[in-house]
Amino acid sequence: MTDSLQNGLVPSLSINADRLWHTLMEMAKVGPGVAGGSCRLALTDEDKAGRDLFSRWCLEAGYTLSVDQVGNLFARRAGQDDSLPPVVMGSHLDTQPTGGRFDGIFGVLAGLEVLRSLDDHGIVTRHPLELTVWMNEEGSRFSPPMMGSGVVAGVFTVQEILDQIAQDGARLGDELVRHGYNGTRSATDHPMAAYLEAHIEQGPVLEVENRQIGVVTGAQGQRWFEVTVTGREAHAGPTPMRLRCDALVVASRMVQAIHDIGMTTPGDACTTVGILDVRPHSRNVIPGEVFFTVDLRHPDNGTLTAMEAAFRQQIGDLAAAAGATVSISEFWNFPTTPFDPVLVGRVRDSATRRGYSHRDIVSGAGHDAVYIARKVPTAMVFIPCEGGISHNEIENISPDQAARGASVLFDVLLATAGR
Ligand SMILES: [Zn+2]
């Protein structure tokens, strides 16, 4: 018995690459953007039209549809033992205002292609299967992002999500009613045997390294901070250099130190200062106060803790050396999310067996899978996207890239749901 068979994998079966691409292009016609992308903000009429098209495809194929209390949409394909919890695939159909045709959409429609391919091959899996369209992944019209999967994971309550107000003033629960996607299925009690999500990478690593599949081992931990440096505001002319306490000069040393922590920490560390406010923001006043934001990321919690300790220590030392004061407050803390090793192994084995070049990769972005992984064994499959560009209408993939990602999803689903 080979390693891959021991891991539950069965010989490769093919998906229909042309049908997958055609389906992606049909969905892209719904809510077209102005520059070749898509605009289907969550729970707008365009988003409803996208969900309606997906629902029609699923009903035509004979799958059963259901909607939960927060508008997550599920297409179910019966299994041999329908009392077992379903193996679930999914992603999202909503987009950013100037979104691409593939972010989220690829995962949903690759899942649909997997179900259709099972139909083609006449395979009934042991577990039932479900394909999910998560409600409001992007968080653009209604904030925060990943709402639907967040409720399932217990991060948000049903009621607080239904009461969210959009930028345009609409209440989320009312929009669900208006579109008929106000379901009755429990959003908080939803047994799943496993969750699988295919997605475009949304970064450049796979393309730069010429790899066809990203084996996603988990998601980075993120810690966000707000820092305020207080120096001494004074006139830019009469105050000699040696008698100044310039908050911006101190802050700029801190920005460099934070950058260096990211550069010198091994293993995919990221450190970013993204916002910097200088006060009083006048060209002939020595800055008295500087506010800036810090975003620290790493796939390992222990390393992330060490990065935070180094950041706090160095910021404190730099302030003290300059006679300035500094305050640091934590804004957000998102722990690292390792995916299920068995499922991740199946992704790797499938790519190997099909002869696709691949590498292990950690997700730098948030995905529905990152929330679902808190409750259910989870894995993700990444495919490259052109130039690593996403959240942009020019976002692009090739039909071959789509087919490879769907093929791996197919293998992992079959190995997990059983025959
Ligand atoms: Zn996405």
Side-chain angles (χ1 to χ4, degrees):
M1 189 183 271
T2 65
D3 283 351
S4 59
L5 286 172
Q6 277 169 354
N7 200 11
L9 287 168
V10 293
S12 298
L13 294 166
S14 57
I15 56 128
N16 185 329
D18 291 340
R19 179 174 57 197
L20 170 60
W21 191 253
H22 176 76
T23 305
L24 285 162
M25 293 303 102
E26 286 300 301
M27 184 58 75
K29 292 177 185 167
V30 180
V34 294
S38 292
C39 180
R40 290 191 302 272
L41 295 176
L43 306 184
T44 56
D45 292 352
E46 292 76 19
D47 187 31
K48 171 184 159 48
R51 288 168 155 246
D52 288 351
L53 178 59
F54 169 83
S55 298
R56 202 189 83 209
W57 285 332
C58 291
L59 291 173
E60 282 170 2
Y63 314 139
T64 314
L65 293 176
S66 63
V67 181
D68 74 13
Q69 297 161 295
V70 292
N72 293 316
L73 170 60
F74 302 91
R76 184 180 175 100
R77 184 178 189 271
Q80 290 164 18
D81 182 351
D82 233 24
S83 66
L84 292 173
V87 174
V88 181
M89 300 178 288
S91 197
H92 59 97
L93 292 175
D94 69 312
T95 75
Q96 292 285 331
T98 53
R101 297 169 294 167
F102 305 103
D103 170 5
I105 299 103
F106 170 68
V108 174
L109 299 183
L112 179 59
E113 178 51 42
V114 167
L115 297 185
R116 287 168 163 176
S117 296
L118 289 171
D119 295 344
D120 292 348
H121 294 292
I123 295 170
V124 180
T125 51
R126 201 164 76 80
H127 282 259
L129 307 177
E130 287 185 357
L131 174 57
T132 309
V133 179
W134 299 110
M135 189 276 294
N136 184 31
E137 194 275 346
E138 292 290 0
S140 182
R141 183 179 177 223
F142 291 96
S143 185
M146 304 183 291
M147 273 185 181
S149 53
V151 173
V152 171
V155 179
F156 313 117
T157 65
V158 170
Q159 197 56 46
E160 72 182 308
I161 290 305
L162 295 179
D163 286 338
Q164 289 296 316
I165 304 297
Q167 285 178 338
D168 52 35
R171 181 180 169 272
L172 193 146
D174 295 343
E175 290 292 77
L176 288 176
V177 171
R178 187 169 75 86
H179 290 152
Y181 281 104
N182 54 324
T184 53
R185 185 172 174 171
S186 169
T188 49
D189 179 22
H190 189 143
M192 300 182 197
Y195 178 70
L196 307 170
E197 181 166 348
H199 208 283
I200 62 170
E201 182 198 345
Q202 301 184 279
V205 174
L206 294 177
E207 186 180 83
V208 165
E209 296 190 2
N210 212 1
R211 306 294 174 100
Q212 294 166 324
I213 292 291
V215 179
V216 189
T217 55
Q220 287 178 329
Q222 303 179 30
R223 297 187 193 180
W224 293 8
F225 302 92
E226 294 185 335
V227 179
T228 303
V229 182
T230 307
R232 202 167 44 250
E233 203 175 297
H235 197 297
T239 316
M241 297 303 288
R242 67 180 187 282
L243 297 179
R244 297 181 179 199
C245 184
D246 184 328
L248 179 56
V249 171
V250 180
S252 60
R253 290 177 190 139
M254 293 173 176
V255 172
Q256 184 66 55
I258 292 161
H259 179 78
D260 290 345
I261 291 169
M263 291 294 286
T264 56
T265 304
D268 294 327
C270 291
T271 57
T272 306
V273 174
I275 295 175
L276 189 116
D277 291 334
V278 180
R279 297 169 192 145
H281 203 255
S282 170
R283 71 182 66 220
N284 57 353
V285 179
I286 299 163
E289 188 177 281
V290 172
F291 166 91
F292 63 92
T293 60
V294 178
D295 174 329
L296 307 180
R297 301 186 190 213
H298 200 279
D300 176 71
N301 257 329
T303 308
L304 193 52
T305 298
M307 288 166 65
E308 177 182 341
F311 150 70
R312 288 182 181 274
Q313 175 76 44
Q314 293 180 31
I315 268 35
D317 289 352
L318 286 166
T325 58
V326 65
S327 70
I328 302 171
S329 64
E330 186 180 273
F331 183 78
W332 197 48
N333 187 332
F334 197 94
T336 59
T337 309
F339 288 158
D340 182 76
V342 172
L343 294 177
V344 172
R346 286 178 185 157
V347 174
R348 196 181 294 115
D349 284 1
S350 164
T352 303
R353 217 155 36 89
R354 286 183 181 265
Y356 301 157
S357 58
H358 59 89
R359 61 160 281 163
D360 286 7
I361 192 166
V362 172
S363 175
H367 295 291
D368 294 305
V370 179
Y371 274 156
I372 299 302
R374 295 185 183 185
K375 287 234 159 168
V376 179
T378 292
M380 291 189 80
V381 181
F382 274 179
I383 58 169
C385 55
E386 198 175 298
I389 293 171
S390 176
H391 285 191
N392 186 322
E393 293 204 41
I394 66 169
E395 178 186 282
N396 199 24
I397 63 174
S398 73
D400 285 347
Q401 288 170 330
R404 283 189 284 264
S407 297
V408 171
L409 183 65
F410 185 51
D411 290 347
V412 179
L413 178 98
L414 207 44
T416 307
R419 295 177 74 169

